[in-house]
Amino acid sequence: MKYITGMMLALLISTASCGKNDKAPPAKIAPTNLVLNAIVNTDNSGSVAFTAMADNAVSYDYDFGNGTTKTVANGITNYTYSGTGQQTFTVKVTAKSADGLTVSKSTTVTVTIAAGLIWSEEFNTDGAPDPTKWGYDIGTGDNGWGNAEAEYYTDRSKNVSVSNGTLKINLLKESFSGSAYTSARILTRGKFTFKYGRVEISAKLPTGGGTWPALWMLGANAATVGWPACGEIDIMEHKGNEPTKIYGTVHHPNHAGANADGGTTNVLNETTTFHKYAMDWSPTLIRFYVDDQLFYTFNSAGNSAFDHDFFIILNMAMGGHFGGAIDPAVTSATMEVDYVRVYKN
């Protein structure tokens, strides 16, 4: 009898234990009823006020549609877009519950950003380029900034001058100080530098195999940290050997020279018509445009090569590592620049 009673007690305990262990864990809770609102500031600053609300949410992850993200606990945040003109972005917010479950919603915002002009060169005064704005690199660059080109850069009026409202940089086939060509390279180093903003340059490009016109920028710390640590932003480069093709490129450590990051686009009548070449530079992105058409975007977030002041360079080279084979029939070529304008975002 005792043995049977013991067996029954053991069975009861076992049954009770099984019932306790079989109890299902509580269900995880997901956010619900997510609502996302965006109010664009009417002062043309690019500022937008966002509000996200969801039941059971403990945090909200915003993707502002331009490569920038942010996490906020209460779903309320303000964000200011950079750039100029009218821009449209798709913003996505992801609400997250305490259990890690999520729900997302997107909306489109259109902002109009009024840029402030902080520096310009309209080339309205005939003669030499304005000495308060421009200096010169003289020589072949064999002391560090050349690329095996065939020209010798001078400050002579036959190579660089302003007339009839445009800057002319003239490449000439002539023997000069050991080089077979002469040209010019002008720059704002020591006269004007800036950090973040938009550059717009209107230019008409030269023709001829081997010609290499460039509108570009170099880090103002180049003399101390060297290249490519200083960073380089090539707003526009063109090869006479590749008509209609326009390059936009950035050079930085481990991505320089032939290994640089960049994109290309095709432009018709680039040697007979002025086109607007532009670059928009923010702490996170560098964008390249021709005639306001975006053709390449580089993610510069956290890249120390692009977080300091830069200066502007305008030049025309001949041959070299990029310009390529030189057509011996080319005796002269001209790049014309109508204006250079810098806007602060």
Side-chain angles (χ1 to χ4, degrees):
M1 185 67 177
K2 288 182 179 180
Y3 176 77
I4 295 174
T5 302
M7 289 289 292
M8 292 177 64
L9 180 61
L11 180 61
L12 288 172
I13 294 174
S14 176
T15 303
S17 298
C18 289
K20 183 177 181 180
N21 291 339
D22 287 345
K23 186 177 181 181
K28 290 186 176 182
I29 300 175
T32 57
N33 302 319
L34 176 59
V35 176
L36 173 60
N37 292 312
I39 300 176
V40 178
N41 197 315
T42 58
D43 64 358
N44 292 339
S45 65
S47 178
V48 184
F50 294 99
T51 302
M53 294 182 294
D55 296 336
N56 306 314
V58 296
S59 67
Y60 301 82
D61 296 329
Y62 278 91
D63 181 337
F64 296 107
N66 63 352
T68 303
T69 59
K70 182 179 182 180
T71 299
V72 293
N74 61 2
I76 301 173
T77 188
N78 290 295
Y79 184 75
T80 300
Y81 290 93
S82 63
T84 57
Q86 189 176 87
Q87 303 181 63
T88 299
F89 302 91
T90 299
V91 180
K92 178 181 178 181
V93 65
T94 301
K96 184 181 295 184
S97 72
D99 291 324
L101 300 181
T102 62
V103 63
S104 299
K105 179 165 284 190
S106 298
T107 190
T108 298
V109 296
T110 298
V111 297
T112 300
I113 304 170
L117 184 68
I118 61 171
W119 187 93
S120 70
E121 171 63 278
E122 302 297 323
F123 299 115
N124 289 329
T125 303
D126 289 359
D130 185 346
T132 67
K133 295 181 177 180
W134 302 99
Y136 303 83
D137 273 336
I138 304 296
T140 61
D142 57 2
N143 62 343
W145 47 263
N147 289 281
E149 304 126 31
E151 84 288 344
Y152 190 102
Y153 288 124
T154 84
D155 59 357
R156 302 177 305 167
S157 60
K158 65 190 299 185
N159 291 122
V160 57
S161 64
V162 177
S163 62
N164 300 318
T166 65
L167 169 76
K168 281 97 172 164
I169 294 182
N170 301 310
L171 175 86
L172 301 173
K173 186 176 184 178
E174 60 176 340
S175 180
F176 189 90
S177 295
S179 296
Y181 297 85
T182 59
S183 186
R185 169 167 156 151
I186 66 173
L187 61 168
T188 68
R189 182 181 57 209
K191 301 175 186 291
F192 171 74
T193 62
F194 74 104
K195 176 183 176 181
Y196 306 140
R198 181 179 176 89
V199 179
E200 297 180 351
I201 304 175
S202 176
K204 183 166 62 176
L205 307 182
T207 61
T211 57
W212 173 10
L215 314 170
W216 55 297
M217 296 163 49
L218 198 63
N221 59 350
T224 56
V225 304
W227 183 90
C230 64
E232 177 180 328
I233 304 173
D234 300 325
I235 301 168
M236 187 289 305
E237 287 182 292
H238 177 260
K239 298 182 183 182
N241 288 313
E242 295 181 349
T244 76
K245 192 173 185 178
I246 301 298
Y247 290 77
T249 312
V250 293
H251 299 261
H252 52 110
N254 300 316
H255 295 270
N259 193 40
D261 294 304
T264 64
T265 189
N266 289 311
V267 178
L268 298 178
N269 305 317
E270 83 286 0
T271 63
T272 58
T273 303
F274 284 92
H275 292 274
K276 183 169 71 175
Y277 303 97
M279 180 278 307
D280 193 14
W281 171 29
S282 77
T284 56
L285 298 172
I286 302 174
R287 300 182 179 94
F288 296 82
Y289 302 81
V290 175
D291 295 330
D292 294 323
Q293 297 299 307
L294 176 68
F295 72 92
Y296 176 64
T297 299
F298 173 73
N299 185 349
S300 58
N303 193 322
S304 62
F306 303 107
D307 66 357
H308 49 257
D309 283 359
F310 274 59
F311 57 87
I312 298 169
I313 306 172
L314 313 176
N315 75 286
M316 180 160 57
M318 188 62 157
H321 300 314
F322 187 85
I326 295 174
D327 181 353
V330 176
T331 59
S332 66
T334 299
M335 175 174 70
E336 285 191 69
V337 179
D338 187 23
Y339 60 77
V340 181
R341 297 168 183 165
V342 180
Y343 301 85
K344 192 66 175 178
N345 291 341

